Amino acid sequence: MAKTDNPLKRLVILATNDVAAWLLERPIREVTSRPSNLVPPAEALDSDLVFFVTLEDGGEEILHLEFQGPGSKRPMPLRMLEYQTRLTTTYPDIPVTSVVWYVGRAGAHAVGFDKLSQRHMLLAELVEANNVIHLWRLDGEALLALNRPVLAALIGQTQLRDPESALRQAVDQIVAGTRGELQELLLIEFLTLCTDKEVAAMAEQIVQYDSYGMEESPFVRKWLAKGREEGREEGREEGREEGRATMLQELTLRLLTRRCGTLPAALHQRVVQLPPAQLLALSDAVFELTSLDELQAWLAQVE
């Protein structure tokens, strides 16, 4: 699941305002996150993302996002019931909207809380049914019609009637609607989320040669070049995976610098030496870190 789960979460965090406005279908003023203070044991819940949204009219709402792929073992209905119960207990005066993102054709038959066993039906009736997004069922062209760069970065996971045209439009929206580091990061996530081999090849070709006036980005160019280099040596698919792993490392380092400040050489080396699974975990945790001390504490827990 990490192949799409982690990029999706990073993408959501990069542009939470756009994602929240899309999911809540209302104008918003601000989106923030808070340190976890849920009723214990919060660690047992394994929630993905929780945001506190200030609406344009001043009201507040909690937006809770869960991502589930084919490899997820814990039933989503129980995850949602448990987490919504704890959220409403901890924040009784703030309404909660929960959304499940199914990726990789997981949850093919999911509607609301899916099909619960009889002993959980009573509990389900006490909680408003969550929203469900099946990315592979979304109409990519309809998503592009919303003209939100962060949503354009998702289309590699959606249904596309004319993939080449849609991919070009997606790159156009990202380039026209963003600048600088955000543009680079969205392009990387756009490329990473193009998991179909043919679509991925088209996307890489478009970003490399048809940049629509995009500023020169050594970071994006290196991502593409690494995939091609590894592809020649180890086979195209394996090479693309190696290129993504290398770029994930560089992306995580960039985000850490953005969040925590310049990393001392010793700390930089500790991050570089993390095995793939821990690097993926750090790429998720990076937006919860605000200082070098917090980063060192996180590393001390996993090393």
Side-chain angles (χ1 to χ4, degrees), residues 204-268:
E204 291 173 6
Q205 186 83 0
I206 290 167
V207 171
Q208 182 178 8
Y209 297 112
D210 303 320
S211 57
Y212 297 89
M214 178 176 62
E215 297 177 7
E216 180 68 22
S217 170
F219 186 48
V220 174
R221 303 301 178 195
K222 186 175 181 180
W223 191 96
L224 293 166
K226 181 66 176 178
R228 291 194 303 275
E229 175 186 343
E230 297 288 349
R232 287 192 295 269
E233 295 176 1
E234 302 178 25
R236 184 171 182 82
E237 185 63 22
E238 292 82 358
R240 183 176 288 114
E241 291 302 320
E242 290 295 326
R244 284 173 174 159
T246 300
M247 287 302 102
L248 172 62
Q249 183 183 90
E250 294 201 17
L251 174 61
T252 303
L253 287 167
R254 280 186 141 205
L255 293 174
L256 284 171
T257 300
R258 187 178 182 183
R259 295 286 295 175
C260 305
T262 302
L263 274 60
L267 198 56
H268 182 281

Short mmCIF file of all heavy atoms in Angstrom, two decimals, residues 204-268:
data_model
loop_
_atom_site.label_atom_id
_atom_site.label_comp_id
_atom_site.label_asym_id
_atom_site.label_seq_id
_atom_site.Cartn_x
_atom_site.Cartn_y
_atom_site.Cartn_z
N GLU A 204 6.19 11.06 -17.47
CA GLU A 204 7.60 11.44 -17.42
C GLU A 204 8.02 12.18 -18.69
O GLU A 204 8.77 13.16 -18.64
CB GLU A 204 8.46 10.20 -17.22
CG GLU A 204 8.29 9.57 -15.84
CD GLU A 204 9.01 8.24 -15.72
OE1 GLU A 204 9.74 7.87 -16.68
OE2 GLU A 204 8.85 7.57 -14.68
N GLN A 205 7.54 11.70 -19.82
CA GLN A 205 7.85 12.35 -21.10
C GLN A 205 7.32 13.78 -21.13
O GLN A 205 8.01 14.71 -21.57
CB GLN A 205 7.24 11.53 -22.24
CG GLN A 205 7.61 12.02 -23.64
CD GLN A 205 8.96 11.49 -24.09
OE1 GLN A 205 9.61 10.76 -23.35
NE2 GLN A 205 9.38 11.88 -25.28
N ILE A 206 6.11 13.98 -20.64
CA ILE A 206 5.49 15.31 -20.66
C ILE A 206 6.23 16.27 -19.74
O ILE A 206 6.53 17.41 -20.11
CB ILE A 206 4.00 15.20 -20.26
CG1 ILE A 206 3.22 14.50 -21.37
CG2 ILE A 206 3.42 16.59 -19.99
CD1 ILE A 206 1.83 14.08 -20.94
N VAL A 207 6.55 15.81 -18.53
CA VAL A 207 7.25 16.68 -17.59
C VAL A 207 8.65 17.01 -18.09
O VAL A 207 9.14 18.13 -17.91
CB VAL A 207 7.32 16.02 -16.19
CG1 VAL A 207 8.23 16.81 -15.26
CG2 VAL A 207 5.92 15.92 -15.59
N GLN A 208 9.27 16.05 -18.73
CA GLN A 208 10.64 16.27 -19.19
C GLN A 208 10.72 17.20 -20.40
O GLN A 208 11.58 18.08 -20.46
CB GLN A 208 11.29 14.94 -19.54
CG GLN A 208 12.76 15.09 -19.99
CD GLN A 208 13.40 13.75 -20.29
OE1 GLN A 208 12.72 12.72 -20.31
NE2 GLN A 208 14.70 13.76 -20.53
N TYR A 209 9.79 17.04 -21.35
CA TYR A 209 9.94 17.76 -22.62
C TYR A 209 8.87 18.82 -22.88
O TYR A 209 9.08 19.72 -23.68
CB TYR A 209 9.93 16.76 -23.79
CG TYR A 209 11.09 15.81 -23.74
CD1 TYR A 209 10.90 14.46 -23.49
CD2 TYR A 209 12.40 16.27 -23.95
CE1 TYR A 209 11.97 13.57 -23.45
CE2 TYR A 209 13.48 15.39 -23.91
CZ TYR A 209 13.26 14.05 -23.65
OH TYR A 209 14.32 13.18 -23.60
N ASP A 210 7.72 18.72 -22.24
CA ASP A 210 6.63 19.66 -22.50
C ASP A 210 6.25 20.37 -21.21
O ASP A 210 5.16 20.19 -20.67
CB ASP A 210 5.40 18.93 -23.06
CG ASP A 210 5.74 18.15 -24.31
OD1 ASP A 210 6.50 18.65 -25.13
OD2 ASP A 210 5.23 17.02 -24.46
N SER A 211 7.15 21.19 -20.72
CA SER A 211 6.98 21.75 -19.37
C SER A 211 6.13 23.01 -19.33
O SER A 211 5.95 23.60 -18.27
CB SER A 211 8.36 22.05 -18.77
OG SER A 211 9.09 22.94 -19.60
N TYR A 212 5.61 23.46 -20.46
CA TYR A 212 4.68 24.59 -20.47
C TYR A 212 5.25 25.83 -19.78
O TYR A 212 4.56 26.50 -19.03
CB TYR A 212 3.36 24.21 -19.80
CG TYR A 212 2.61 23.11 -20.50
CD1 TYR A 212 2.86 21.79 -20.16
CD2 TYR A 212 1.68 23.38 -21.49
CE1 TYR A 212 2.19 20.75 -20.80
CE2 TYR A 212 1.00 22.35 -22.12
CZ TYR A 212 1.26 21.04 -21.78
OH TYR A 212 0.60 20.02 -22.41
N GLY A 213 6.52 26.10 -20.00
CA GLY A 213 7.11 27.28 -19.39
C GLY A 213 7.54 27.08 -17.95
O GLY A 213 7.85 28.04 -17.26
N MET A 214 7.58 25.84 -17.48
CA MET A 214 7.99 25.56 -16.11
C MET A 214 9.43 25.99 -15.88
O MET A 214 10.31 25.78 -16.72
CB MET A 214 7.86 24.06 -15.82
CG MET A 214 8.31 23.63 -14.44
SD MET A 214 8.01 21.86 -14.17
CE MET A 214 9.05 21.13 -15.44
N GLU A 215 9.67 26.60 -14.71
CA GLU A 215 11.02 26.97 -14.35
C GLU A 215 11.89 25.72 -14.25
O GLU A 215 11.43 24.66 -13.84
CB GLU A 215 11.02 27.72 -13.01
CG GLU A 215 10.27 29.03 -13.05
CD GLU A 215 10.23 29.70 -11.69
OE1 GLU A 215 10.90 29.19 -10.78
OE2 GLU A 215 9.53 30.70 -11.55
N GLU A 216 13.16 25.84 -14.62
CA GLU A 216 14.08 24.72 -14.54
C GLU A 216 14.15 24.19 -13.12
O GLU A 216 14.38 24.93 -12.18
CB GLU A 216 15.49 25.14 -15.01
CG GLU A 216 16.52 24.03 -14.95
CD GLU A 216 16.24 22.93 -15.98
OE1 GLU A 216 15.53 23.22 -16.97
OE2 GLU A 216 16.73 21.82 -15.78
N SER A 217 13.93 22.90 -12.94
CA SER A 217 13.92 22.28 -11.62
C SER A 217 14.92 21.14 -11.59
O SER A 217 14.63 20.03 -12.05
CB SER A 217 12.52 21.76 -11.27
OG SER A 217 12.57 20.98 -10.11
N PRO A 218 16.11 21.37 -11.04
CA PRO A 218 17.10 20.28 -10.95
C PRO A 218 16.56 19.09 -10.18
O PRO A 218 16.89 17.94 -10.46
CB PRO A 218 18.28 20.94 -10.21
CG PRO A 218 18.11 22.40 -10.46
CD PRO A 218 16.64 22.64 -10.52
N PHE A 219 15.71 19.34 -9.19
CA PHE A 219 15.16 18.27 -8.37
C PHE A 219 14.29 17.34 -9.21
O PHE A 219 14.44 16.11 -9.18
CB PHE A 219 14.35 18.89 -7.23
CG PHE A 219 13.84 17.90 -6.22
CD1 PHE A 219 14.67 16.94 -5.68
CD2 PHE A 219 12.52 17.96 -5.80
CE1 PHE A 219 14.20 16.04 -4.74
CE2 PHE A 219 12.04 17.07 -4.86
CZ PHE A 219 12.89 16.10 -4.33
N VAL A 220 13.38 17.91 -9.99
CA VAL A 220 12.52 17.09 -10.85
C VAL A 220 13.34 16.41 -11.93
O VAL A 220 13.15 15.22 -12.23
CB VAL A 220 11.41 17.96 -11.48
CG1 VAL A 220 10.60 17.14 -12.49
CG2 VAL A 220 10.49 18.51 -10.40
N ARG A 221 14.29 17.14 -12.53
CA ARG A 221 15.12 16.54 -13.57
C ARG A 221 15.89 15.35 -13.02
O ARG A 221 16.06 14.32 -13.67
CB ARG A 221 16.11 17.57 -14.13
CG ARG A 221 15.46 18.82 -14.69
CD ARG A 221 14.50 18.54 -15.81
NE ARG A 221 13.86 19.76 -16.28
CZ ARG A 221 12.78 19.79 -17.03
NH1 ARG A 221 12.20 18.68 -17.41
NH2 ARG A 221 12.25 20.93 -17.41
N LYS A 222 16.39 15.48 -11.80
CA LYS A 222 17.16 14.40 -11.20
C LYS A 222 16.28 13.19 -10.94
O LYS A 222 16.69 12.04 -11.12
CB LYS A 222 17.81 14.88 -9.90
CG LYS A 222 18.76 13.85 -9.28
CD LYS A 222 19.46 14.43 -8.07
CE LYS A 222 20.43 13.41 -7.48
NZ LYS A 222 21.14 13.95 -6.28
N TRP A 223 15.04 13.42 -10.53
CA TRP A 223 14.09 12.32 -10.31
C TRP A 223 13.90 11.53 -11.60
O TRP A 223 13.93 10.30 -11.61
CB TRP A 223 12.75 12.90 -9.85
CG TRP A 223 11.75 11.90 -9.34
CD1 TRP A 223 11.52 11.55 -8.05
CD2 TRP A 223 10.83 11.13 -10.14
NE1 TRP A 223 10.52 10.61 -8.00
CE2 TRP A 223 10.07 10.34 -9.25
CE3 TRP A 223 10.57 11.04 -11.50
CZ2 TRP A 223 9.08 9.47 -9.69
CZ3 TRP A 223 9.58 10.16 -11.94
CH2 TRP A 223 8.85 9.40 -11.04
N LEU A 224 13.71 12.25 -12.69
CA LEU A 224 13.52 11.59 -13.98
C LEU A 224 14.78 10.88 -14.45
O LEU A 224 14.74 9.75 -14.91
CB LEU A 224 13.10 12.63 -15.03
CG LEU A 224 11.72 13.27 -14.81
CD1 LEU A 224 11.58 14.51 -15.69
CD2 LEU A 224 10.62 12.28 -15.12
N ALA A 225 15.94 11.56 -14.31
CA ALA A 225 17.19 10.98 -14.76
C ALA A 225 17.55 9.73 -13.98
O ALA A 225 18.06 8.75 -14.52
CB ALA A 225 18.32 12.01 -14.63
N LYS A 226 17.28 9.74 -12.67
CA LYS A 226 17.59 8.58 -11.84
C LYS A 226 16.78 7.37 -12.29
O LYS A 226 17.29 6.26 -12.39
CB LYS A 226 17.29 8.90 -10.37
CG LYS A 226 17.61 7.75 -9.41
CD LYS A 226 19.09 7.45 -9.36
CE LYS A 226 19.38 6.37 -8.34
NZ LYS A 226 20.82 6.04 -8.29
N GLY A 227 15.51 7.59 -12.59
CA GLY A 227 14.67 6.49 -13.04
C GLY A 227 15.18 5.91 -14.35
O GLY A 227 15.20 4.70 -14.54
N ARG A 228 15.61 6.77 -15.27
CA ARG A 228 16.12 6.28 -16.56
C ARG A 228 17.43 5.54 -16.38
O ARG A 228 17.66 4.49 -16.98
CB ARG A 228 16.30 7.46 -17.52
CG ARG A 228 15.00 8.09 -17.98
CD ARG A 228 15.23 8.99 -19.17
NE ARG A 228 16.21 10.03 -18.87
CZ ARG A 228 15.92 11.19 -18.29
NH1 ARG A 228 14.69 11.45 -17.92
NH2 ARG A 228 16.86 12.10 -18.08
N GLU A 229 18.31 6.07 -15.53
CA GLU A 229 19.62 5.45 -15.31
C GLU A 229 19.46 4.06 -14.69
O GLU A 229 20.03 3.08 -15.16
CB GLU A 229 20.46 6.33 -14.39
CG GLU A 229 21.79 5.71 -14.00
CD GLU A 229 22.51 6.56 -12.98
OE1 GLU A 229 22.15 7.74 -12.81
OE2 GLU A 229 23.42 6.03 -12.33
N GLU A 230 18.65 3.96 -13.64
CA GLU A 230 18.43 2.69 -12.99
C GLU A 230 17.67 1.75 -13.92
O GLU A 230 17.87 0.54 -13.90
CB GLU A 230 17.64 2.88 -11.69
CG GLU A 230 18.36 3.71 -10.63
CD GLU A 230 19.53 2.96 -10.01
OE1 GLU A 230 19.63 1.74 -10.25
OE2 GLU A 230 20.32 3.58 -9.30
N GLY A 231 16.81 2.33 -14.76
CA GLY A 231 16.06 1.51 -15.70
C GLY A 231 16.97 0.81 -16.70
O GLY A 231 16.75 -0.35 -17.04
N ARG A 232 17.99 1.49 -17.16
CA ARG A 232 18.92 0.87 -18.10
C ARG A 232 19.70 -0.26 -17.45
O ARG A 232 20.02 -1.26 -18.07
CB ARG A 232 19.89 1.93 -18.65
CG ARG A 232 19.26 2.89 -19.63
CD ARG A 232 20.32 3.70 -20.34
NE ARG A 232 21.05 4.56 -19.44
CZ ARG A 232 20.71 5.82 -19.18
NH1 ARG A 232 19.63 6.34 -19.75
NH2 ARG A 232 21.41 6.56 -18.34
N GLU A 233 20.02 -0.10 -16.16
CA GLU A 233 20.86 -1.07 -15.47
C GLU A 233 20.08 -2.27 -14.93
O GLU A 233 20.57 -3.38 -14.88
CB GLU A 233 21.60 -0.39 -14.31
CG GLU A 233 22.59 0.67 -14.78
CD GLU A 233 23.23 1.39 -13.61
OE1 GLU A 233 22.90 1.04 -12.45
OE2 GLU A 233 24.06 2.28 -13.85
N GLU A 234 18.83 -2.05 -14.50
CA GLU A 234 18.12 -3.11 -13.78
C GLU A 234 16.77 -3.47 -14.39
O GLU A 234 16.06 -4.32 -13.87
CB GLU A 234 17.90 -2.67 -12.33
CG GLU A 234 19.20 -2.35 -11.60
CD GLU A 234 18.92 -1.87 -10.18
OE1 GLU A 234 17.86 -2.22 -9.63
OE2 GLU A 234 19.76 -1.15 -9.64
N GLY A 235 16.38 -2.83 -15.45
CA GLY A 235 15.04 -3.06 -15.99
C GLY A 235 14.16 -1.88 -15.67
O GLY A 235 14.28 -1.29 -14.60
N ARG A 236 13.26 -1.54 -16.56
CA ARG A 236 12.51 -0.29 -16.44
C ARG A 236 11.71 -0.19 -15.14
O ARG A 236 11.77 0.81 -14.44
CB ARG A 236 11.57 -0.14 -17.64
CG ARG A 236 10.84 1.17 -17.63
CD ARG A 236 10.08 1.39 -18.92
NE ARG A 236 9.42 2.68 -18.90
CZ ARG A 236 10.01 3.82 -19.18
NH1 ARG A 236 11.29 3.85 -19.48
NH2 ARG A 236 9.33 4.96 -19.14
N GLU A 237 10.94 -1.23 -14.80
CA GLU A 237 10.08 -1.13 -13.62
C GLU A 237 10.91 -1.07 -12.34
O GLU A 237 10.66 -0.25 -11.46
CB GLU A 237 9.13 -2.34 -13.57
CG GLU A 237 8.12 -2.28 -12.44
CD GLU A 237 7.19 -1.09 -12.58
OE1 GLU A 237 7.03 -0.56 -13.69
OE2 GLU A 237 6.63 -0.66 -11.54
N GLU A 238 11.93 -1.96 -12.24
CA GLU A 238 12.78 -1.94 -11.06
C GLU A 238 13.53 -0.61 -10.95
O GLU A 238 13.71 -0.06 -9.86
CB GLU A 238 13.78 -3.09 -11.10
CG GLU A 238 13.15 -4.46 -10.97
CD GLU A 238 12.58 -4.97 -12.28
OE1 GLU A 238 12.65 -4.23 -13.29
OE2 GLU A 238 12.06 -6.10 -12.30
N GLY A 239 13.94 -0.11 -12.11
CA GLY A 239 14.66 1.16 -12.11
C GLY A 239 13.80 2.31 -11.64
O GLY A 239 14.26 3.17 -10.90
N ARG A 240 12.53 2.31 -12.08
CA ARG A 240 11.64 3.38 -11.64
C ARG A 240 11.45 3.34 -10.13
O ARG A 240 11.41 4.35 -9.45
CB ARG A 240 10.28 3.26 -12.36
CG ARG A 240 9.34 4.38 -11.98
CD ARG A 240 8.03 4.31 -12.76
NE ARG A 240 8.25 4.68 -14.16
CZ ARG A 240 8.12 3.85 -15.18
NH1 ARG A 240 7.79 2.60 -14.97
NH2 ARG A 240 8.33 4.27 -16.41
N GLU A 241 11.34 2.12 -9.55
CA GLU A 241 11.17 1.99 -8.10
C GLU A 241 12.42 2.49 -7.37
O GLU A 241 12.32 3.18 -6.35
CB GLU A 241 10.91 0.53 -7.73
CG GLU A 241 9.56 0.02 -8.20
CD GLU A 241 8.42 0.84 -7.63
OE1 GLU A 241 8.49 1.22 -6.45
OE2 GLU A 241 7.47 1.12 -8.38
N GLU A 242 13.61 2.15 -7.88
CA GLU A 242 14.83 2.63 -7.26
C GLU A 242 14.93 4.15 -7.34
O GLU A 242 15.35 4.82 -6.40
CB GLU A 242 16.06 1.99 -7.95
CG GLU A 242 16.22 0.51 -7.68
CD GLU A 242 16.51 0.24 -6.23
OE1 GLU A 242 17.19 1.07 -5.58
OE2 GLU A 242 16.05 -0.80 -5.72
N GLY A 243 14.54 4.69 -8.51
CA GLY A 243 14.57 6.14 -8.65
C GLY A 243 13.63 6.82 -7.68
O GLY A 243 13.97 7.85 -7.09
N ARG A 244 12.45 6.24 -7.49
CA ARG A 244 11.49 6.82 -6.55
C ARG A 244 12.01 6.75 -5.12
O ARG A 244 11.81 7.67 -4.33
CB ARG A 244 10.15 6.09 -6.66
CG ARG A 244 9.37 6.50 -7.91
CD ARG A 244 8.14 5.65 -8.09
NE ARG A 244 7.34 6.14 -9.22
CZ ARG A 244 6.47 5.43 -9.88
NH1 ARG A 244 6.25 4.18 -9.52
NH2 ARG A 244 5.78 5.95 -10.87
N ALA A 245 12.68 5.64 -4.76
CA ALA A 245 13.22 5.52 -3.41
C ALA A 245 14.28 6.58 -3.15
O ALA A 245 14.32 7.21 -2.09
CB ALA A 245 13.80 4.12 -3.20
N THR A 246 15.14 6.80 -4.14
CA THR A 246 16.18 7.82 -4.00
C THR A 246 15.58 9.21 -3.88
O THR A 246 15.99 10.01 -3.05
CB THR A 246 17.15 7.76 -5.21
OG1 THR A 246 17.74 6.47 -5.27
CG2 THR A 246 18.23 8.83 -5.07
N MET A 247 14.58 9.48 -4.70
CA MET A 247 13.96 10.79 -4.65
C MET A 247 13.12 10.98 -3.39
O MET A 247 13.01 12.09 -2.88
CB MET A 247 13.10 11.01 -5.90
CG MET A 247 13.90 11.25 -7.17
SD MET A 247 15.03 12.68 -7.06
CE MET A 247 16.60 11.84 -6.80
N LEU A 248 12.57 9.88 -2.85
CA LEU A 248 11.86 9.98 -1.58
C LEU A 248 12.81 10.44 -0.49
O LEU A 248 12.46 11.27 0.35
CB LEU A 248 11.24 8.63 -1.20
CG LEU A 248 10.62 8.56 0.20
CD1 LEU A 248 9.46 9.55 0.32
CD2 LEU A 248 10.15 7.15 0.51
N GLN A 249 14.03 9.91 -0.53
CA GLN A 249 15.02 10.32 0.45
C GLN A 249 15.33 11.81 0.33
O GLN A 249 15.33 12.55 1.32
CB GLN A 249 16.31 9.51 0.25
CG GLN A 249 17.40 9.82 1.26
CD GLN A 249 18.66 9.03 0.95
OE1 GLN A 249 19.53 9.50 0.22
NE2 GLN A 249 18.74 7.84 1.50
N GLU A 250 15.54 12.28 -0.89
CA GLU A 250 15.84 13.70 -1.09
C GLU A 250 14.64 14.58 -0.77
O GLU A 250 14.78 15.66 -0.19
CB GLU A 250 16.31 13.94 -2.53
CG GLU A 250 17.64 13.27 -2.86
CD GLU A 250 18.32 13.91 -4.05
OE1 GLU A 250 17.95 15.05 -4.43
OE2 GLU A 250 19.24 13.27 -4.61
N LEU A 251 13.44 14.10 -1.14
CA LEU A 251 12.23 14.85 -0.83
C LEU A 251 12.06 14.98 0.67
O LEU A 251 11.74 16.06 1.19
CB LEU A 251 11.02 14.14 -1.44
CG LEU A 251 9.63 14.70 -1.10
CD1 LEU A 251 9.50 16.14 -1.59
CD2 LEU A 251 8.55 13.83 -1.71
N THR A 252 12.28 13.89 1.40
CA THR A 252 12.14 13.92 2.86
C THR A 252 13.16 14.87 3.48
O THR A 252 12.83 15.64 4.40
CB THR A 252 12.31 12.51 3.44
OG1 THR A 252 11.35 11.63 2.84
CG2 THR A 252 12.11 12.50 4.95
N LEU A 253 14.36 14.85 2.99
CA LEU A 253 15.39 15.76 3.50
C LEU A 253 15.00 17.22 3.25
O LEU A 253 15.20 18.08 4.11
CB LEU A 253 16.75 15.45 2.85
CG LEU A 253 17.43 14.17 3.33
CD1 LEU A 253 18.59 13.81 2.41
CD2 LEU A 253 17.93 14.34 4.77
N ARG A 254 14.46 17.49 2.09
CA ARG A 254 14.03 18.86 1.78
C ARG A 254 12.90 19.31 2.70
O ARG A 254 12.89 20.43 3.20
CB ARG A 254 13.54 18.94 0.33
CG ARG A 254 14.66 19.05 -0.68
CD ARG A 254 14.07 19.27 -2.07
NE ARG A 254 14.90 20.21 -2.80
CZ ARG A 254 14.48 20.97 -3.78
NH1 ARG A 254 13.21 20.93 -4.12
NH2 ARG A 254 15.28 21.78 -4.41
N LEU A 255 11.94 18.42 2.92
CA LEU A 255 10.82 18.77 3.78
C LEU A 255 11.27 18.94 5.23
O LEU A 255 10.76 19.80 5.95
CB LEU A 255 9.73 17.70 3.69
CG LEU A 255 9.02 17.60 2.33
CD1 LEU A 255 8.09 16.41 2.31
CD2 LEU A 255 8.26 18.88 2.03
N LEU A 256 12.22 18.13 5.67
CA LEU A 256 12.75 18.27 7.02
C LEU A 256 13.43 19.62 7.19
O LEU A 256 13.28 20.29 8.22
CB LEU A 256 13.74 17.14 7.32
CG LEU A 256 13.14 15.77 7.62
CD1 LEU A 256 14.23 14.71 7.67
CD2 LEU A 256 12.37 15.79 8.93
N THR A 257 14.19 20.03 6.18
CA THR A 257 14.85 21.34 6.24
C THR A 257 13.81 22.45 6.29
O THR A 257 13.96 23.44 7.02
CB THR A 257 15.77 21.52 5.02
OG1 THR A 257 16.76 20.49 5.03
CG2 THR A 257 16.45 22.88 5.05
N ARG A 258 12.76 22.28 5.52
CA ARG A 258 11.69 23.27 5.49
C ARG A 258 10.98 23.39 6.84
O ARG A 258 10.61 24.47 7.27
CB ARG A 258 10.69 22.87 4.40
CG ARG A 258 9.60 23.87 4.10
CD ARG A 258 8.74 23.34 2.96
NE ARG A 258 7.68 24.25 2.60
CZ ARG A 258 6.76 24.01 1.68
NH1 ARG A 258 6.78 22.85 1.04
NH2 ARG A 258 5.82 24.88 1.40
N ARG A 259 10.80 22.23 7.52
CA ARG A 259 10.07 22.21 8.78
C ARG A 259 10.95 22.50 9.99
O ARG A 259 10.53 23.17 10.93
CB ARG A 259 9.42 20.83 8.98
CG ARG A 259 8.35 20.49 7.98
CD ARG A 259 7.07 21.27 8.23
NE ARG A 259 6.45 20.91 9.51
CZ ARG A 259 5.39 21.50 10.01
NH1 ARG A 259 4.82 22.50 9.37
NH2 ARG A 259 4.88 21.11 11.17
N CYS A 260 12.17 21.97 9.98
CA CYS A 260 13.00 21.99 11.19
C CYS A 260 14.23 22.86 11.09
O CYS A 260 14.92 23.08 12.09
CB CYS A 260 13.43 20.56 11.55
SG CYS A 260 12.08 19.39 11.73
N GLY A 261 14.54 23.36 9.90
CA GLY A 261 15.76 24.13 9.72
C GLY A 261 16.87 23.25 9.14
O GLY A 261 16.70 22.05 8.94
N THR A 262 18.01 23.86 8.87
CA THR A 262 19.14 23.14 8.27
C THR A 262 19.59 22.01 9.18
O THR A 262 19.83 22.21 10.38
CB THR A 262 20.31 24.09 8.01
OG1 THR A 262 19.87 25.15 7.15
CG2 THR A 262 21.46 23.36 7.35
N LEU A 263 19.73 20.81 8.61
CA LEU A 263 20.14 19.66 9.40
C LEU A 263 21.66 19.64 9.56
O LEU A 263 22.39 19.74 8.56
CB LEU A 263 19.70 18.36 8.72
CG LEU A 263 18.29 17.84 8.99
CD1 LEU A 263 17.22 18.85 8.56
CD2 LEU A 263 18.07 16.49 8.32
N PRO A 264 22.17 19.49 10.79
CA PRO A 264 23.61 19.29 10.98
C PRO A 264 24.06 18.03 10.25
O PRO A 264 23.26 17.11 10.02
CB PRO A 264 23.73 19.12 12.51
CG PRO A 264 22.51 19.74 13.08
CD PRO A 264 21.43 19.51 12.07
N ALA A 265 25.33 17.97 9.92
CA ALA A 265 25.85 16.86 9.12
C ALA A 265 25.55 15.50 9.75
O ALA A 265 25.15 14.55 9.05
CB ALA A 265 27.35 17.04 8.92
N ALA A 266 25.71 15.40 11.06
CA ALA A 266 25.49 14.11 11.72
C ALA A 266 24.03 13.69 11.65
O ALA A 266 23.71 12.51 11.43
CB ALA A 266 25.92 14.19 13.19
N LEU A 267 23.11 14.66 11.79
CA LEU A 267 21.69 14.36 11.72
C LEU A 267 21.28 14.00 10.29
O LEU A 267 20.48 13.09 10.06
CB LEU A 267 20.89 15.56 12.23
CG LEU A 267 19.43 15.33 12.63
CD1 LEU A 267 19.33 14.24 13.68
CD2 LEU A 267 18.81 16.62 13.15
N HIS A 268 21.85 14.73 9.34
CA HIS A 268 21.61 14.44 7.93
C HIS A 268 22.01 12.99 7.62
O HIS A 268 21.28 12.26 6.95
CB HIS A 268 22.42 15.41 7.07
CG HIS A 268 22.22 15.24 5.58
ND1 HIS A 268 22.87 14.24 4.87
CD2 HIS A 268 21.47 15.92 4.68
CE1 HIS A 268 22.53 14.34 3.60
NE2 HIS A 268 21.68 15.33 3.45
#
